[in-house]
Amino acid sequence: MKKIVLVLFIGMLGISLTAQDTAAKIEFKSETVDYGEITKGSDGVRVFEFKNTGNAPLIVSKVSSSCGCTIPKKPEDPILPGKTGEIKVKYDTNRVGPIRKAITVISNADTPTKVLKIKGEVKASGGTK
């Protein structure tokens, strides 16, 4: 009886260790997007590209911004291992001044929280602020 319990215990331990090897991994092409100098009212949409370098489907569960002037959009479908995805970010370019915002990405990856950054400056049209 003890041998059966021992064999079952070792078998369950082996299964749990194998299960831990299966994880999604998120790798961003760049964790910062630089808008540079853009004019007021110009296109404020930029894209963060990433790849799932793990061996399990990657699910981005939440993407949030540090302020209401930045609207991020997460992928709706899981990203399969080896495939790429993108997070679109739209900044309100009607706000003149420097851009320094953070976008928080929450997923089932081995590093579940990533902070992305956007930076740049919105210049008033006509050269004055």
Side-chain angles (χ1 to χ4, degrees):
M1 185 68 174
K2 288 181 181 179
K3 288 182 182 180
I4 294 173
V5 171
L6 182 63
V7 169
L8 286 174
F9 177 74
I10 292 172
M12 295 300 283
L13 183 64
I15 290 171
S16 67
L17 290 175
T18 305
Q20 290 175 357
D21 291 341
T22 305
K25 293 183 182 180
I26 190 166
E27 275 189 34
F28 284 90
K29 203 174 201 178
S30 173
E31 293 186 14
T32 301
V33 168
D34 189 350
Y35 279 69
E37 287 188 2
I38 58 175
T39 57
K40 181 180 177 181
S42 61
D43 182 19
V45 177
R46 299 294 186 272
V47 175
F48 287 95
E49 295 178 10
F50 64 89
K51 183 174 186 175
N52 179 0
T53 58
N55 52 14
L58 172 69
I59 299 168
V60 178
S61 55
K62 184 177 180 184
V63 180
S64 58
S65 166
S66 59
C67 93
C69 59
T70 308
I71 302 169
K73 185 175 184 329
K74 71 178 186 74
E76 294 302 319
D77 296 326
I79 308 301
L80 298 177
K83 299 297 181 184
T84 59
E86 58 184 32
I87 294 172
K88 290 184 181 178
V89 176
K90 182 177 183 182
Y91 180 75
D92 180 4
T93 59
N94 287 317
R95 297 172 184 238
V96 175
I99 303 169
R100 301 280 183 274
K101 304 297 174 197
I103 294 92
T104 304
V105 179
I106 298 172
S107 70
N108 68 329
D110 60 344
T111 306
T113 304
K114 282 278 194 184
V115 178
L116 309 174
K117 295 179 179 125
I118 61 171
K119 64 181 184 175
E121 186 167 1
V122 178
K123 297 281 190 178
S125 46
T128 58
K129 287 189 178 179

